[in-house]
Amino acid sequence: MKNLTVLFLITFLPTLVFSQWTRTNGLQSGQIGGLVRIGDSIVANAGELYYSTDRGDHWTTLPNTPGDISADLRTSEGELLLKCYTHNYKKTSLWRSPDLGHVWIEVKLLDTFSAYEFFKVGAFIYCSDNSGLYRTNNNGITWEQILSSPVNQICVEGGNLSAIFYDFNNQTNRLIQSVNGGLNWIALLSFTENVIDFFQHEQHL
């Protein structure tokens, strides 16, 4: 019945579904590289970082944007996390801000890090790379490797980490999960299909 109801709404009531969108003011030129919500504010990555406290009616440039090129903006546990590139794209840097971009703290990356996935859980910042998943609790002064396989995708809910990686030995994709911040992992599923995306909600995948 729920599936039929959803299908009916999508098929027969397109006006109802799509009429809820309203265009915001400002930021109408250029490319929006990311939108995140933190508290009552929306932060947009459009080359520079902008924020709005009135649902997009007015936008203000964040006073300090680190790095040369703002590549990826995320929020985790009330902090902004920003990945940047140098102008020649040869070096990646990672920054965190606990106060909506007024002060940025650099999370020092290893020279080989690309920081495909990055997020914060508790006192730790996590980064994934071709060689696995790492974490630091001292802004990158030291990194601890907690997974030695390249991670394709990862999602986080609370302290639970769920990751998909390709097992080259068995030529299959594997879904694994950790409930203690990545110290220990349990195998949930092996499969050969490609996964476009997945998410975790209330401990369900």
Side-chain angles (χ1 to χ4, degrees), residues 11-31:
T11 305
F12 296 102
L13 298 177
T15 303
L16 175 64
V17 173
F18 293 106
S19 63
Q20 306 304 311
W21 290 91
T22 303
R23 186 171 184 172
T24 66
N25 292 322
L27 299 181
Q28 296 179 8
S29 62
Q31 181 176 356

Side-chain angles (χ1 to χ4, degrees), residues 60-79:
T60 303
T61 306
L62 285 179
N64 300 301
T65 301
D68 296 333
I69 300 173
S70 300
D72 196 354
L73 174 67
R74 303 183 185 183
T75 181
S76 186
E77 296 193 348
E79 291 194 21

Side-chain angles (χ1 to χ4, degrees), residues 110-201:
L110 301 177
D111 291 338
T112 57
F113 268 10
S114 298
Y116 296 129
E117 297 284 348
F118 55 95
F119 53 91
K120 178 178 180 289
V121 177
F124 289 91
I125 300 289
Y126 292 76
C127 277
S128 69
D129 200 75
N130 289 329
S131 56
L133 182 65
Y134 298 78
R135 71 177 189 175
T136 177
N137 62 356
N138 53 18
N139 291 323
I141 296 175
T142 58
W143 288 90
E144 175 189 10
Q145 187 173 21
I146 57 175
L147 192 61
S148 58
S149 300
V151 177
N152 297 331
Q153 298 181 55
I154 192 165
C155 64
V156 184
E157 184 188 30
N160 296 339
L161 313 179
S162 299
I164 294 176
F165 72 95
Y166 186 75
D167 186 344
F168 288 96
N169 293 329
N170 298 304
Q171 297 185 349
T172 184
N173 292 307
R174 293 171 62 86
L175 174 63
I176 58 177
Q177 188 176 65
S178 173
V179 296
N180 59 4
L183 293 179
N184 304 103
W185 297 86
I186 54 176
L188 299 181
L189 184 67
S190 296
F191 53 94
T192 56
E193 297 82 3
N194 292 323
V195 176
I196 298 175
D197 201 359
F198 78 114
F199 64 92
Q200 186 170 277
H201 179 63

Side-chain angles (χ1 to χ4, degrees), residues 14 50 52 58 85-86 94 143 145 168 189 203-204:
Y50 299 83
S52 172
H58 301 88
Y85 295 126
T86 54
L94 183 63
W143 288 90
Q145 187 173 21
F168 288 96
L189 184 67
Q203 298 185 0
H204 288 82

